[in-house]
Amino acid sequence: MKLFCLSISPFARKAMILSRLHGLDVEEVEPKKDSKKGYLAGDNPLGKIPALEWQKGQFLFDSPVICEYLDSLSDTPLLPRDNHLHFLNKWQHALGDGLGDAVYNYKQETVRPEALHWNSMILRHETAILQSIETLDKISQWLGDSWTFGNVAIIASLDYASWRAAHINWHERAPNLAQWHAKFVNDPHYKATYGYPDA
């Protein structure tokens, strides 16, 4: 299998972590980008990463689908079968993804020339970031000290927020969350997939 990915994408990185956690034979490939069509033009019609070539010429996307598929290949999947825990993990995964989306959208709005800034939309995305961080801080004691299907997405998006929305300074705003996050930074899978500048 080939995973088209870049470690600076939180959506790609969580799949990279999962494949390592399960010891899967996944080749990581840096995607080619077309300014008009995005990544993997013709293979992923959305032009987004990650994309997983799970069969010759056939691609899975987007990231929650890829993560659930990779997890299903393990004899010890992270996504619980118990109905309550199953959906709790998927909710946590979605919260992590939502944080990543908000950070991405915030950055896209703020890199425009100032005359083109849509201030109400910038505020909307920044508010989503802040609310996500606040929620994660409140539930951090229940996220667990080891990798789960939910927290792979949370960890990936928190690091993305540190890079793309550093002004939020989430470590100071959410001390409980920062303490929880710190338990993962020396993990070999965390280190192997951390691709941000000045790491």
Side-chain angles (χ1 to χ4, degrees):
M1 289 185 294
K2 292 182 180 180
L3 178 66
F4 291 84
C5 57
L6 292 171
S7 59
I8 59 172
S9 162
F11 310 107
R13 187 182 177 206
K14 62 182 183 174
M16 295 166 69
I17 293 172
L18 266 174
S19 69
R20 284 168 169 77
L21 283 168
H22 291 320
L24 301 176
D25 184 16
V26 177
E27 178 187 356
E28 293 173 359
V29 180
E30 185 171 333
K32 294 180 180 178
K33 187 176 182 181
D34 179 293
S35 60
K36 179 181 178 182
K37 296 183 178 179
Y39 294 106
L40 301 173
D43 295 323
N44 181 351
L46 301 177
K48 297 166 64 177
I49 55 171
L52 180 71
E53 188 176 23
W54 64 320
Q55 298 178 47
K56 184 70 174 178
Q58 296 183 7
F59 290 78
L60 281 183
F61 52 84
D62 57 359
S63 65
V65 176
I66 291 171
C67 286
E68 195 162 345
Y69 175 71
L70 293 175
D71 192 54
S72 75
L73 298 178
S74 172
D75 293 332
T76 55
L78 297 183
L79 190 58
R81 292 185 178 180
D82 174 83
N83 204 45
H84 177 77
L85 291 176
H86 178 89
F87 285 101
L88 183 62
N89 267 262
K90 293 189 86 165
W91 173 79
Q92 291 170 353
H93 195 105
L95 180 56
D97 279 356
L99 172 60
D101 281 333
V103 171
Y104 176 84
N105 290 331
Y106 171 85
K107 187 63 177 180
Q108 291 300 109
E109 287 291 338
T110 56
V111 295
R112 304 171 192 262
E114 190 170 353
L116 299 178
H117 280 191
W118 187 357
N119 291 326
S120 61
M121 190 57 65
I122 290 172
L123 179 61
R124 171 67 186 90
H125 297 314
E126 188 174 56
T127 300
I129 296 170
L130 292 170
Q131 291 180 155
S132 298
I133 295 298
E134 181 182 357
T135 298
L136 287 167
D137 193 54
K138 289 178 180 177
I139 68 169
S140 59
Q141 62 181 311
W142 298 301
L143 293 175
D145 296 339
S146 58
W147 294 108
T148 66
F149 189 82
N151 67 32
V152 291
I154 294 169
I155 289 287
S157 288
L158 285 173
D159 287 337
Y160 186 59
S162 293
W163 182 47
R164 288 298 200 190
H167 71 290
I168 295 290
N169 199 358
W170 69 263
H171 287 85
E172 288 194 5
R173 290 178 180 271
N176 297 320
L177 182 62
Q179 188 176 12
W180 172 80
H181 175 273
K183 298 173 183 178
F184 292 85
V185 297
N186 291 317
D187 181 276
H189 307 306
Y190 178 99
K191 288 183 171 182
T193 58
Y194 189 98
Y196 298 111
D198 302 319

